[in-house]
Amino acid sequence: MASYNPYQQTPYQHAQPPQSQYGQNGPPTQYAGTPQPGYGPPGTPQQDQGYFPPQGQAGMNNDGGMAALAGQMGGMGLGGDAAAAYRPNKKKNRHAYHNLEQPSGPQQAFGTPSPAHFGHNSPDMSQQYGSDHPYAGQQVTQAMNQFPASASAPFSPGLQAPNQGFRQPSQPTSTAGGPGVSQGKVDPEQIPSIPRLRDSAAQYYLDHVYPTMEQHLPPPAAVPFVAHDQGNSSSKFARLTLNNIPSTQEALTSTALPLGIVLQPLAPLQEGEQAVPVLDFGDVGPPRCRRCRTYINPFMTFRSGGNKLVCNMCTFPNDVPPEYFAPTDPSGVRVDRAQRPELTTGTVEFLVPKEYWAREPVGLHWLFLIDVGQEAITRGFLQAFCEGVLSALYGDHQHKEEADGEQTNGDSPDIVRRIPLGSKVGFVAFDRAMYFFNCNAKLDQAQMLVMPDLEEPFVPLGSEGLFVDPYESKTVITGLLQRLPSLFSRNKAPEPALLPALKATQEALALTGGKIICSLSALPTWGPGRLFLRDKNDLHGIETERKLFQTEHAEWRTMASKMVASGIGVDFFLAAASGGYMDIATIGHISAVSGGEIFFYPVFTAPRDVQRVKKEIERTVTRETGYQALMKVRCSNGLQVSSYHGNFLQHNFGADLELGSVDADKALGVMFSYDGKLDPKLDAHFQCAILYTTASGERRVRCTNTVASVSESMSEVMRFLDQDAIVSMIAKEAATRMTERTLKDIRNALTEKTIDILAGHRRTGSGSHPPGQLVLPENLKEFGMYILGLLKSRAFKAGHEPSDRRTHSMRFFKSASPLELSLFLYPRIVALHTLPDNSCFPDPETGHLIVPSCLRASFGRIEDGGAYLVDDGQICLLWLHEHVNPNLLEDLFGPGNTNLADLDHNLSSLPVLETHLNAQARNLIAYWSSVRGSKALTLQLARQGLDGAEYEFARLLVEDRNNEAQSYVDWLVHLHRGIQLELSGQRRKEEGEGGGVGAGLEGAMAGLSNLIGR
């Protein structure tokens, strides 16, 4: 590496780059053999040259999958060739809707390449997977044919060829063992890889549909897929931590696993998926169980010729209403079942009668509460926010036909509606006073009314003036938002009065409910409810630090409750002045309780962040949103809800969850406990029902139905774990505890929980392996890395971190979907300088985008002269090495851009060029932006040695030692030592700093080295 000169030879030279950049993921690049032509747009020049000259560094071995781990860890005494023999359960077809009794194959060591990782490349998967594969070879029983789904559903399970799947639950454990380690070191190349898991799953689901009943393990959360709803809700709406539940509390306790479900009721669907059916039962409403009030669903059964409806939750036999009666065939199935979506689909919506109304439902009222103080003006945040609102409401004028949610107003056929017909918008500005704007369509321009009274503010406008149809009043609204920055350009009020403005807007929406979008660029230190600087760096690292993560202001708590009671959700766009303190714990309390969201810009810089603000406002306005919501979760007899984790209001335990608003990006977690023993012959059922008003003004109930089998065999339980759901539940629970316990205690608890889960599996599911062997559940192989990412997050990391950043991260964990959380804990990284020619263009045969393999998040994968895109779902960095090739810079940024220092540091997107690499990078960014949550994907440059964002790039390399925590390899060693101590009865719960993170590492390595040769 020292002799390498990036300018020594032409970059347009065919060469074979070191394979180490891909590691286990390494597909052939454009340098391997004859480059393939790219599939770019017409006129795009084909590029068959590279930007990365050959180096003297020896590439790592890329063959054999994880085969070398046996050799690497075996020398530490982790080896052994004994495998636990699986004893199949002799009870056949015992579940009403499942058939999990296929014979399982032998347990597999890390050293044996699993066809589960490579089989998706085979054209005939049935040759790679046996009939025991529960993802594909699962037999459809008679009961499954009767209840969960119709064989003639829009997406036929036949689209997923038999005997296919990308992961093998039939091999419940992965082990590490064997000879060949040097001095007790582990090769990081051979440990479980999250990028490999994602890439293999993404490749598989390009060509296969996910059948929700036949396949019991859902796809990884960060992978796009098309689900076929067979009566069990798609994992986009609900993910169970255990898809096979132990029959007793004692059995669950022995595994240390959480029993819970992660719910995302309004999750967006992928193109090609069937829309959620909306059903209208008239004034009588949807059929429900008279005892437990469960809504009709595919798992309820009919008896007595169709006269009795047996609840799947409480087994109560209900009389079928006359208007809902239909006879049954000899097998007990309703003759009209195929025509009834509520009996064949896991996720449905019911229009509800007036008895479900709290008030007359109307279209969603949006109120934009705009900070016009001095900081907002001088930093350009006011200008950015106004541009974002215009873009959200009207889109780019030159691309109206591409606007999301396309709906044309019948009166004006040229207008493309970005929000549903019936929705209205209003505008209020504030600094030390409040300014209400009348945007009635009959006016030539908006009228402004000033409200100086902060003690008892009121709304000086009627609803006809404050709230208007944005397309009828487009001219007035456009003029207002374009003039607003200049109107207040001489404003010298640096201290906004936020709480009085929120009180006034709550009063304006009290009769209808709605959504408030509020901008703020300075700590609100004026008027009633004024805030002050609480974080003075004197509470960090001590027990009282947790006071900074919650509000101590009674008025703000009261306002949050009023918002929820009025059916109002609040989203905040916070731009900190020079990274200053904003008291997100207090301000964000309103958004957290009301079901809203915080968009936080710690160091807002115009024009770099303007595009990001615009896109995130647009996402907020155009995503599916409901308001005035109530939520209830029901479960089978033998189980009960023990706790909720998320952003909502619950007055007392057992009451319905109240949310001012709910949108497509929000998720929450529900934990269950036992109140009896579950019958292994029956399934366990879960139903989430959320009553809400749509943005178009309809009152609906969305029901999400999920089913799991029950087993007395722990090996069966371990076969059907959902890693993403488990990580989500642990993260949400840990975030909830931040206001109750110290960060040190939480880190300790996370570490101990990880050891308990892995030791529980070792004790219950892999007892025949040698004591010194590291054994990981097949479906939790990457679990340790996710927990390490959690420990390194800003919410929980050791060391100093501003309380605003910690609180924002905490609130994110509580409401994040599994997709957002997965990306946040482990980012995706792609090397641009070694992209194959055909990568990031559509496959000419299938039309699917050819997505490049991602790299592991370690600096060991970063090469001199490289260019890397890094995305964690919140920010996207373009990291450029100081010796990056000038030709690469020209191809990415345009002619003349050959010097790294001359690039625009405020760049937020790539220019549109007719170069191959530029088209590849833009296509990849566009694809990533579609597999993401609520945060916009805009670029931020991180040039080595030039930009502060380089520190953020280093923080995202989560497999390395950083963020006050150890590396991935050292973390696994620490976990293994804890597992061994637990199994030997010598373990003592960690009480030291970091919960074992970094503590005792030398002793662990020494202890493991002493095991060599045993």
Side-chain angles (χ1 to χ4, degrees):
M1 297 289 285
S3 61
Y4 164 61
N5 183 352
Y7 306 100
Q8 187 170 5
Q9 50 183 306
T10 173
Y12 297 103
Q13 174 182 355
H14 298 290
Q16 175 67 38
Q19 291 179 324
S20 61
Q21 60 189 302
Y22 283 100
Q24 299 301 319
N25 307 313
T29 69
Q30 60 198 33
Y31 304 100
T34 303
Q36 302 178 6
Y39 305 98
T44 302
Q46 299 298 320
Q47 176 180 310
D48 58 359
Q49 294 87 4
Y51 305 96
F52 199 64
Q55 300 185 28
Q57 178 183 3
M60 297 182 183
N61 185 13
N62 190 39
D63 298 323
M66 300 182 70
L69 186 57
Q72 295 296 332
M73 302 193 77
M76 299 195 307
L78 310 184
D81 54 4
Y86 173 73
R87 182 170 58 187
N89 196 316
K90 295 183 179 179
K91 295 181 181 179
K92 297 292 184 179
N93 303 324
R94 58 196 173 96
H95 297 285
Y97 312 108
H98 291 70
N99 177 28
L100 305 182
E101 303 304 326
Q102 304 84 5
S104 293
Q107 294 183 349
Q108 178 176 331
F110 275 161
T112 305
S114 169
H117 296 299
F118 309 108
H120 63 273
N121 294 324
S122 171
D124 184 8
M125 300 286 288
S126 61
Q127 298 178 5
Q128 303 234 7
Y129 295 93
S131 60
D132 62 333
H133 198 294
Y135 269 19
Q138 185 122 11
Q139 175 185 351
V140 180
T141 66
Q142 182 182 12
M144 291 172 65
N145 278 330
Q146 290 178 10
F147 300 102
S150 169
S152 59
F155 294 106
S156 170
L159 293 176
Q160 177 166 338
N163 303 327
Q164 292 189 13
F166 95 95
R167 193 125 174 181
Q168 287 200 10
S170 59
Q171 298 176 354
T173 62
S174 292
T175 65
V181 70
S182 173
Q183 298 180 353
K185 293 183 179 180
V186 179
D187 183 358
E189 195 71 28
Q190 308 305 327
I191 54 183
S193 168
I194 292 177
R196 183 191 306 112
L197 169 67
R198 291 175 179 171
D199 290 343
S200 60
Q203 182 65 32
Y204 176 78
Y205 285 105
L206 279 178
D207 304 315
H208 301 92
V209 170
Y210 163 55
T212 61
M213 279 300 304
E214 296 173 43
Q215 182 170 314
H216 301 287
L217 278 181
V223 171
F225 63 91
V226 172
H228 165 42
D229 191 334
Q230 298 177 308
N232 189 33
S233 289
S234 167
S235 57
K236 294 178 180 179
F237 299 111
R239 299 183 80 106
L240 278 169
T241 57
L242 311 178
N243 291 284
N244 199 331
I245 299 174
S247 58
T248 64
Q249 179 69 60
E250 293 73 18
L252 178 67
T253 303
S254 68
T255 68
L257 291 165
L259 175 56
I261 189 170
V262 182
L263 298 167
Q264 191 176 353
L266 302 185
L269 297 175
Q270 187 169 316
E271 184 178 356
E273 290 184 307
Q274 182 182 13
V276 176
V278 180
L279 311 176
D280 187 359
F281 285 86
D283 293 337
V284 297
R288 302 180 67 179
C289 174
R290 288 193 293 114
R291 176 189 286 175
C292 67
R293 306 302 292 160
T294 297
Y295 288 86
I296 184 73
N297 62 77
F299 304 102
M300 288 186 173
T301 57
F302 292 87
R303 295 179 183 173
S304 302
N307 289 289
K308 291 291 185 181
L309 176 64
V310 181
C311 178
N312 59 312
M313 297 289 179
C314 66
T315 69
F316 181 75
N318 298 269
D319 293 329
V320 176
E323 64 274 7
Y324 192 64
F325 173 79
T328 58
D329 61 21
S331 62
V333 179
R334 280 177 62 117
V335 295
D336 65 343
R337 178 181 170 274
Q339 289 76 45
R340 293 244 176 225
E342 72 274 14
L343 300 180
T344 59
T345 309
T347 303
V348 296
E349 283 197 339
F350 302 108
L351 292 174
V352 294
K354 291 185 177 181
E355 63 188 84
Y356 292 81
W357 298 1
R359 60 170 69 99
E360 182 77 21
V362 296
L364 181 58
H365 285 47
W366 298 87
L367 202 157
F368 296 93
L369 184 59
I370 306 172
D371 179 9
V372 292
Q374 184 180 17
E375 285 288 346
I377 296 169
T378 57
R379 297 192 174 277
F381 188 59
L382 174 59
Q383 179 74 36
F385 190 82
C386 291
E387 290 178 4
V389 175
L390 282 173
S391 177
L393 294 177
Y394 308 116
D396 295 329
H397 298 290
Q398 64 271 29
H399 297 298
K400 288 183 179 179
E401 69 278 5
E402 298 176 4
D404 295 336
E406 194 167 307
Q407 182 179 351
T408 302
N409 188 337
D411 298 332
S412 304
D414 294 335
I415 294 179
V416 177
R417 300 191 67 95
R418 309 296 301 279
I419 60 176
L421 190 65
S423 297
K424 295 185 177 182
V425 299
F427 299 91
V428 177
F430 71 99
D431 47 25
R432 290 184 177 181
M434 287 164 281
Y435 311 91
F436 293 81
F437 295 95
N438 184 349
C439 296
N440 193 292
K442 298 178 181 179
L443 300 174
D444 294 331
Q445 64 179 14
Q447 294 178 345
M448 184 175 72
L449 288 82
V450 182
M451 169 56 61
D453 188 353
L454 300 182
E455 296 295 334
E456 297 181 0
F458 62 92
V459 181
L461 278 174
S463 59
E464 293 298 323
L466 182 59
F467 292 103
V468 297
D469 185 296
Y471 303 99
E472 294 178 358
S473 302
K474 179 180 178 181
T475 303
V476 179
I477 292 174
T478 301
L480 169 64
L481 293 177
Q482 289 175 347
R483 291 186 295 109
L484 205 57
S486 59
L487 186 64
F488 291 92
S489 59
R490 298 186 179 183
N491 193 340
K492 300 300 181 181
E495 302 168 317
L498 178 58
L499 188 60
L502 289 172
K503 287 182 178 179
T505 53
Q506 182 270 330
E507 181 181 338
L509 290 167
L511 297 179
T512 61
K515 192 69 180 279
I516 297 173
I517 309 294
C518 177
S519 69
L520 184 68
S521 56
L523 185 67
T525 56
W526 189 263
R530 64 178 65 87
L531 303 179
F532 57 91
L533 180 63
R534 291 197 297 156
D535 187 358
K536 301 178 181 179
N537 296 327
D538 57 345
L539 299 180
H540 292 270
I542 61 178
E543 185 174 353
T544 53
E545 182 180 9
R546 63 176 180 264
K547 293 182 179 180
L548 298 175
F549 309 145
Q550 55 188 324
T551 180
E552 296 179 342
H553 209 300
E555 287 186 84
W556 286 81
R557 291 183 180 273
T558 301
M559 176 51 56
S561 299
K562 287 184 177 180
M563 290 287 187
V564 177
S566 301
I568 304 169
V570 185
D571 288 351
F572 285 103
F573 287 77
L574 305 182
S578 304
Y581 179 67
M582 296 288 288
D583 199 355
I584 290 181
T586 298
I587 297 173
H589 177 75
I590 291 181
S591 63
V593 170
S594 67
E597 185 171 1
I598 294 178
F599 296 86
F600 183 41
Y601 311 94
V603 185
F604 177 83
T605 303
R608 183 194 68 191
D609 296 325
V610 170
Q611 190 67 18
R612 181 181 170 192
V613 172
K614 290 174 61 177
K615 287 186 175 182
E616 289 179 346
I617 295 175
E618 184 175 353
R619 170 68 178 176
T620 300
V621 173
T622 58
R623 64 188 173 189
E624 184 175 6
T625 303
Y627 68 101
Q628 195 182 340
L630 294 173
M631 185 172 176
K632 181 76 172 180
V633 177
R634 297 176 174 89
C635 53
S636 294
N637 285 341
L639 295 174
Q640 61 183 357
V641 174
S642 61
S643 61
Y644 294 95
H645 301 286
N647 291 338
F648 51 80
L649 178 65
Q650 188 179 28
H651 291 288
N652 53 72
F653 186 75
D656 293 349
L657 305 185
E658 299 181 36
L659 301 97
S661 67
V662 59
D663 60 64
D665 296 318
K666 299 300 181 298
L668 56 86
V670 185
M671 291 287 289
F672 302 98
S673 61
Y674 290 76
D675 61 3
K677 182 179 180 180
L678 300 179
D679 187 351
K681 297 180 181 179
L682 301 176
D683 291 315
H685 298 272
F686 306 87
Q687 185 182 83
C688 166
I690 181 167
L691 172 66
Y692 72 105
T693 304
T694 66
S696 58
E698 291 183 330
R699 194 71 171 157
R700 298 180 183 177
V701 171
R702 175 168 292 197
C703 291
T704 302
N705 301 284
T706 310
V707 64
S709 57
V710 179
S711 178
E712 295 178 332
S713 168
M714 287 300 98
S715 60
E716 285 292 308
V717 172
M718 302 305 291
R719 290 177 61 202
F720 297 97
L721 305 179
D722 187 332
Q723 181 170 251
D724 290 297
I726 292 172
V727 172
S728 292
M729 287 305 309
I730 291 176
K732 291 180 187 300
E733 186 172 12
T736 303
R737 300 288 179 262
M738 279 186 64
T739 58
E740 304 169 5
R741 302 174 60 183
T742 65
L743 294 175
K744 175 181 172 182
D745 289 341
I746 294 175
R747 290 192 295 270
N748 291 343
L750 288 171
T751 302
E752 298 302 328
K753 184 67 171 178
T754 306
I755 294 174
D756 288 340
I757 290 175
L758 298 180
H761 166 259
R762 188 71 167 85
R763 186 185 300 110
T764 61
S766 58
S768 63
H769 289 87
Q773 192 172 35
L774 177 62
V775 182
L776 301 177
E778 177 66 23
N779 296 313
L780 288 182
K781 287 192 302 184
E782 300 80 15
F783 176 67
M785 182 63 248
Y786 278 122
I787 297 299
L788 180 59
L790 194 61
L791 289 169
K792 291 185 175 185
S793 68
R794 284 195 165 94
F796 305 115
K797 67 184 288 290
H800 179 272
E801 190 72 28
S803 62
D804 276 349
R805 303 297 292 269
R806 287 198 189 274
T807 307
H808 180 249
S809 184
M810 173 193 74
R811 298 252 169 82
F812 165 77
F813 283 140
K814 293 175 69 174
S815 64
S817 66
L819 164 63
E820 279 192 292
L821 185 62
S822 177
L823 292 177
F824 186 73
L825 297 182
Y826 196 100
R828 44 194 176 189
I829 304 176
V830 165
L832 295 181
H833 58 286
T834 55
L835 285 176
D837 272 359
N838 64 342
S839 185
C840 302
F841 290 113
D843 188 304
E845 297 180 358
T846 65
H848 295 309
L849 188 75
I850 301 175
V851 182
S853 298
C854 291
L855 308 181
R856 302 185 73 143
S858 172
F859 197 76
R861 302 306 179 101
I862 305 303
E863 298 174 334
D864 287 357
Y868 297 87
L869 273 177
V870 187
D871 175 34
D872 72 344
Q874 309 297 304
I875 60 172
C876 183
L877 301 178
L878 174 56
W879 186 84
L880 300 168
H881 190 271
E882 61 181 345
H883 296 312
V884 68
N885 198 293
N887 295 322
L888 182 145
L889 294 179
E890 281 197 315
D891 279 357
L892 271 181
F893 303 105
N897 291 288
T898 59
N899 189 353
L900 202 62
D902 293 338
L903 296 179
D904 182 6
H905 66 279
N906 287 323
L907 185 77
S908 61
S909 62
L910 291 175
V912 179
L913 305 175
E914 291 188 358
T915 63
H916 194 81
L917 181 65
N918 180 274
Q920 285 180 304
R922 287 187 289 107
N923 288 347
L924 179 61
I925 291 172
Y927 168 75
W928 277 0
S929 65
S930 68
V931 187
R932 200 176 171 89
S934 62
K935 306 303 186 294
L937 196 157
T938 56
L939 278 185
Q940 184 174 350
L941 282 185
R943 299 167 294 177
Q944 188 178 29
L946 295 174
D947 295 316
E950 186 181 4
Y951 295 99
E952 188 70 15
F953 171 75
R955 191 187 70 82
L956 295 178
L957 300 177
V958 290
E959 289 198 16
D960 296 335
R961 177 185 287 270
N962 53 25
N963 295 293
E964 308 293 334
Q966 61 204 58
S967 68
Y968 185 20
V969 173
D970 294 341
W971 169 246
L972 284 182
V973 171
H974 174 77
L975 292 180
H976 180 64
R977 179 170 180 262
I979 294 169
Q980 287 183 306
L981 293 175
E982 174 68 20
L983 296 177
S984 64
Q986 302 177 23
R987 177 175 167 224
R988 184 176 61 181
K989 297 291 184 180
E990 292 279 2
E991 296 180 357
E993 174 63 33
V997 178
L1001 180 60
E1002 294 78 7
M1005 289 297 298
L1008 290 171
S1009 298
N1010 290 336
L1011 295 174
I1012 296 177
R1014 292 187 181 181

